[in-house]
Amino acid sequence: MNNNDSKLFYDFIRSNGYNPENYYQTLELVQSVPNSMSQYLREYKQFLLSRKVIYSELEEYDIKGALGYLEADATITVPKTLEADDYFRYHRPKLPYTPHGYRYPDISEFDTGVVFMDEFSRNEVSEIIKLSCAKNFPNMFIGFVADKNDKALSFKENSLKRLSDIFSYHIAHDTDSEKSKEFYLMKR
């Protein structure tokens, strides 16, 4: 997947009701920094949480985020590593009276979740399920962009529909024949 798909998806969700100006803070999950939509949200309150985050890329793209994941109870976890130590030393104050703790947002600080999927890996689907089960998280925008000739398109489409059925999301679909792209979005 190239970086251009994240811009296409960002434009697609904007045309389907996502307006970062209307939300307090957006949490983006699962994507790497260069492929994230957070790079288009720098002017708004956003946070990229992913197992694919590389701290030097956060600095390069000038976005907020961390290498981490959601626990089963939708708690944000950022593992302690030397890279995280170095990054948070300069980008986030340590929590007072908490040894080895970093200051990063709690799930309750977000009112919007964005997930731009590409692999439909077990980790990606797991993060969506955990976020969807989080209490007081009213706004969700989850989807993908695929080439029309993508061999996994049918699998991705069916996976998204199954998730939509489980959590009662609305599905939006569009096609861009000129770019040979398919757009899918689940939203709540």
Side-chain angles (χ1 to χ4, degrees):
M1 179 182 63
N2 71 29
N3 194 3
N4 201 23
D5 283 351
S6 62
K7 176 64 171 141
L8 293 172
F9 188 70
Y10 176 70
D11 293 340
F12 181 62
I13 68 170
R14 293 270 324 214
S15 69
N16 278 279
Y18 175 74
N19 184 346
E21 297 161 356
N22 294 340
Y23 302 113
Y24 176 71
Q25 187 162 324
T26 298
L27 174 65
E28 181 180 5
L29 295 176
V30 310
Q31 206 47 263
S32 67
V33 174
N35 292 327
S36 74
M37 288 190 321
S38 288
Q39 61 188 305
Y40 309 110
L41 299 172
R42 283 188 292 246
E43 297 175 20
Y44 308 100
K45 284 185 146 185
Q46 62 67 229
F47 193 83
L48 172 62
L49 181 70
S50 171
R51 297 170 196 264
K52 298 176 185 177
V53 163
I54 298 172
Y55 287 104
S56 61
E57 291 177 340
L58 287 174
E59 291 181 279
E60 179 183 337
Y61 283 78
D62 191 30
I63 62 174
K64 296 177 189 117
L67 183 145
Y69 51 89
L70 293 179
E71 296 286 351
D73 64 354
T75 301
I76 292 175
T77 296
V78 176
K80 182 164 176 46
T81 64
L82 292 176
E83 293 84 9
D85 284 351
D86 190 46
Y87 178 80
F88 284 106
R89 182 178 309 128
Y90 297 106
H91 294 88
R92 305 279 186 268
K94 284 210 168 193
L95 290 169
Y97 313 113
T98 305
H100 310 297
Y102 304 123
R103 174 69 177 109
Y104 52 85
D106 180 84
I107 193 78
S108 65
E109 296 176 39
F110 298 95
D111 62 348
T112 306
V114 173
V115 181
F116 173 47
M117 301 176 73
D118 53 1
E119 299 171 1
F120 279 77
S121 69
R122 182 173 288 145
N123 284 337
E124 288 181 345
V125 172
S126 174
E127 295 287 301
I128 290 171
I129 291 170
K130 291 172 190 172
L131 189 60
S132 296
C133 292
K135 295 179 181 175
N136 300 324
F137 218 88
N139 307 299
M140 297 286 298
F141 297 87
I142 302 164
F144 66 92
V145 174
D147 292 324
K148 283 187 173 189
N149 59 357
D150 183 346
K151 293 178 183 173
L153 180 59
S154 175
F155 169 75
K156 291 176 179 179
E157 182 180 40
N158 290 332
S159 297
L160 202 67
K161 286 180 181 176
R162 282 194 301 270
L163 285 168
S164 173
D165 290 343
I166 292 169
F167 296 106
S168 300
Y169 287 107
H170 170 73
I171 289 191
H173 170 253
D174 200 0
T175 301
D176 185 332
S177 299
E178 185 178 306
K179 293 179 179 148
S180 190
K181 298 284 186 182
E182 296 283 335
F183 300 86
Y184 285 88
L185 172 66
M186 285 188 327
K187 62 181 183 174
R188 169 168 68 182

